[in-house]
Amino acid sequence: MPETTAPVPPWIPAPRPTGSGAVDQSVALWSALAGLGLREAVLAPGSRSAPLVYALAAGEVDGRIRAHVRIDERAAAYTALGIGRHDPARPAAVVTTSGTATAHLHAAVMEAHHSRIPLLVLTADRPAELREVGANQTTRQAGLFGSLVRLAVDLPAPAAEAASATELRTAVSTAARALAVATGEHPGPVHLNLSFRDPLVPRPLPAEPGPAPARIVLTRRTRPAPPTPEPVPVDARTVVVAGDGAGAAAAELAERHHLPLLAEPMSGARHGTTLVPGHPALLREVMADDRHPLRPSRALVLGRPTLSRSVVGALLGAEDVEVIVVDPGPDWPDVARRAQRVVPAAVGEETGPVDLPARQRHLAAWRTAATAAAAALPDSWQRRAALAVWEASTAQDVLVLGSSSLVRDLEQHAGTTRARVIANRGLAGIDGTTAMAGGIALAQERAATGAPGRVRLLVGDLTALHDLTGLLVGPEEPRPALDVIVVDDGGGRIFSGLEHAAAPPALLRRFFTTPHGADIAAAATALGAPAQLLPPSALPAALSAAGEGLRVLVVQETPREVSNNS
Ligand SMILES: Cc1ncc(C[n+]2csc(CCOP(=O)(O)OP(=O)(O)O)c2C)c(N)n1
């Protein structure tokens, strides 16, 4: 079902009275959001949010917003986050009932804030007369997300039987503002706390429904224009660092000036002729030696680098390296607090004459030395599994990476890619990853004009176990077409590579590695996701086998029992 972009109407029809002010208001709200281009809503079951459910089926809204239902609110929120990640111009709404349900959205809201992903959070609440009096499932959820949201509105409940013209106009204008802010200059999450008074369901109308306005103005805010590039100095000893979200601009900048490109896997810039694959190990050597011939004197930083200490600490923290950050947002990355300039977008300006052959030799030296430094690192089956998934991903595909060692294996050892690579690097949580990838897969399928590329998720076993409910997609729900590849090495491998490796083995094992003994393939199967258990050698063939729907490939070095439950 490819998407179409309909023009935004200047107004929406006022909802036909439903006998419930809460449902009237919800119809107006969805109708406004649909008019402004919102296409997807992820809902978790609950009673207080019922008006929003009934309203989705109302004639004014029906068929314009696709609904997805998830039992776990965290999975619902991460699914919505994934939809917004796929196309930030088309964010999704997540809807919950009141009470503890709202707290389960917090992690996804945090990630959306730090990753600048639009996300519309709609929480249902009791009206003012039922707050702070011990009413069931009623808590202080207005403003719950604090400074993590770009906008928080606690909308009063409309009148019980019918929403007034002012109440409807307020809901519509608030929804329009929320969507505009979420997708505006500083994209991110917004929160509407919606109070609903009984009745929560449509009811037979009284004989004389009150007068309703014929139509309600729909505010459309102009999208922010892309920033104007500003000149930034470049010379032979400049490198380009591409972190999360850098995009192709980083690769273009590096290529135009023949500069070494140090690009993270999910930078959107892991391509081009100047990419230095395997840069982290080399950079450790380079930055440890003041007189190293490859030592840079300037770093242009695009996107937000988080993966390698050799980049974030050693390079960007070095006294002899001038740091220029290219970022349009107010929360630009500058962990070492050494950025001399921040520009919203950049165009390189050579500081002197360019000796092209010398620059090409310099670049070749970077690439050769990086390959040698990477080759000296110990091999692992986990790395080979990660590379198999990387190499299976073509330009039409999306590869979603969990947070942990696999993304670092790829940063160190993967080559170029034209696939879209996505990771929750906002806070690098191991939570919600499967649900987020599911959201991406749903959006990918909807946006495709032809056959959609395959969406694959690559995660460690703890990350997979942390979000098992991300696999729980009910039989009546649109099903994401997603391959979940779990590299199951019996716990968190990452900690053995950090300073904790020096801890007593029993302590490292129990408190950091966290062995679990869980049968992930069986758990996935129990949740309705077909699963296979396989050795690393069988992964390439399993990846190329035509996958349909949601399937889980659990890779173990020596599978406890090679099975095929699919
Ligand atoms: C929600 C959350 N809790 C804890 C962490 C800390 N953490 C980072 S990586 C990791 C272990 C991940 O293990 P696994 O998914 O098996 O990947 P591996 O390290 O084996 O590659 C943990 C617990 C986190 N990032 N997010």
Side-chain angles (χ1 to χ4, degrees):
M1 187 188 1
E3 282 176 312
T4 52
T5 309
V8 175
W11 46 265
I12 57 165
R16 283 182 289 273
T18 64
S20 154
V23 179
D24 292 351
Q25 189 196 56
S26 300
V27 172
L29 189 106
W30 283 133
S31 188
L33 292 172
L36 291 163
L38 186 119
R39 294 283 175 273
E40 314 270 352
V42 190
L43 301 95
S47 190
R48 191 53 48 175
S49 49
L52 288 159
V53 172
Y54 291 107
L56 274 179
E60 294 90 333
V61 185
D62 191 24
R64 300 171 70 198
I65 295 178
R66 180 166 72 154
H68 308 269
V69 183
R70 297 291 183 273
I71 295 170
D72 176 354
E73 287 81 8
R74 190 184 72 181
Y78 272 102
T79 303
L81 179 77
I83 293 170
R85 263 199 192 283
H86 187 270
D87 181 357
R90 289 189 172 280
V94 58
V95 176
T96 74
T97 190
S98 61
T100 54
T102 59
H104 294 285
L105 308 177
H106 221 119
V109 168
M110 293 170 92
E111 177 61 31
H113 164 71
H114 288 280
S115 287
R116 304 176 184 167
I117 301 297
L119 175 68
L120 198 64
V121 175
L122 307 179
T123 54
D125 202 349
R126 297 281 193 289
E129 63 269 24
L130 289 176
R131 296 191 192 175
E132 304 293 345
V133 289
N136 183 39
Q137 220 175 299
T138 307
T139 184
R140 297 174 182 174
Q141 60 188 59
L144 173 72
F145 304 109
S147 61
L148 295 166
V149 286
R150 306 284 183 268
L151 176 77
V153 178
D154 186 22
L155 212 61
E161 309 287 338
S164 71
T166 305
E167 286 163 345
L168 293 174
R169 200 168 57 240
T170 304
V172 167
S173 127
T174 304
R177 183 177 293 268
L179 202 55
V181 170
T183 55
E185 287 82 357
H186 188 207
V190 292
H191 177 204
L192 302 186
N193 191 51
L194 305 167
S195 312
F196 294 136
R197 192 169 276 130
D198 288 13
L200 303 176
V201 298
R203 294 206 310 188
L205 288 171
E208 290 290 325
R215 56 193 204 180
I216 305 169
V217 167
L218 187 56
T219 308
R220 178 185 41 176
R221 184 175 186 241
T222 306
R223 284 270 161 89
T228 310
E230 289 181 26
V232 293
V234 297
D235 63 10
R237 291 177 60 213
T238 302
V239 293
V240 176
V241 172
D244 185 33
E252 284 157 19
L253 179 64
E255 194 142 335
R256 191 166 309 125
H257 297 277
H258 313 277
L259 304 175
L261 170 63
L262 318 180
E264 294 188 341
M266 63 287 162
S267 59
R270 188 99 179 179
H271 56 257
T273 54
T274 76
L275 179 78
V276 181
H279 65 266
L282 171 61
L283 207 54
R284 269 196 296 279
E285 291 172 18
V286 170
M287 298 315 296
D289 176 359
D290 286 350
R291 286 208 279 267
H292 197 288
L294 298 178
R295 194 171 174 95
S297 61
R298 182 183 299 115
L300 308 178
V301 182
L302 290 87
R304 181 166 157 252
T306 55
L307 288 180
S308 297
R309 293 178 184 185
S310 61
V311 172
V312 179
L315 172 67
L316 302 181
E319 282 304 314
D320 58 340
V321 175
E322 176 191 357
V323 176
I324 298 178
V325 174
V326 183
D327 192 311
D331 49 353
W332 64 86
D334 182 21
V335 173
R337 297 189 181 275
R338 296 200 59 262
Q340 292 193 354
R341 275 183 68 198
V342 181
V343 296
V347 57
E349 195 171 67
E350 296 285 352
T351 55
V354 180
D355 179 348
L356 190 56
R359 204 167 280 189
Q360 280 165 339
R361 278 196 304 278
H362 183 70
L363 186 58
W366 261 93
R367 288 162 61 93
T368 308
T371 306
L377 297 171
D379 190 18
S380 75
W381 69 267
Q382 295 96 327
R383 179 217 294 182
R384 274 178 271 125
L387 287 171
V389 180
W390 179 269
E391 275 146 27
S393 301
T394 63
Q396 297 76 41
D397 297 343
V398 181
L399 174 57
V400 184
L401 302 174
S403 308
S404 204
S405 359
L406 295 163
V407 65
R408 291 183 170 82
D409 286 336
L410 291 173
E411 145 130 297
Q412 181 60 65
H413 298 286
T416 60
T417 188
R418 282 289 178 181
R420 187 166 175 205
V421 184
I422 296 177
N424 274 341
R425 294 310 301 175
L427 286 176
I430 62 165
D431 44 351
T433 316
T434 305
M436 202 265 301
I440 289 170
L442 288 164
Q444 163 96 343
E445 184 264 333
R446 191 164 188 194
T449 43
R454 192 74 188 155
V455 181
R456 299 185 183 87
L457 167 66
L458 174 67
V459 283
D461 44 296
L462 292 196
T463 306
L465 285 168
H466 204 294
D467 193 28
L468 276 179
T469 58
L471 291 172
L472 188 55
V473 180
E476 294 174 23
E477 296 310 307
R479 225 172 154 67
L482 173 69
D483 283 352
V484 179
I485 299 103
V486 184
V487 175
D488 181 4
D489 49 13
R493 175 170 55 110
I494 191 158
F495 299 113
S496 309
L498 301 178
E499 48 275 53
H500 316 296
L507 185 144
L508 171 69
R509 202 176 140 70
R510 180 168 172 219
F511 292 97
F512 294 95
T513 310
T514 339
H516 46 78
D519 183 340
I520 296 174
T525 307
L527 291 167
Q532 272 176 270
L533 186 58
L534 34 89
S537 57
L539 183 58
L543 287 169
S544 57
E548 265 184 32
L550 178 59
R551 61 176 187 153
V552 180
L553 306 175
V554 182
V555 189
Q556 290 178 347
E557 185 175 24
T558 313
R560 271 165 254 155
E561 177 199 345
V562 177
S563 64
N564 185 341
N565 302 324
S566 60

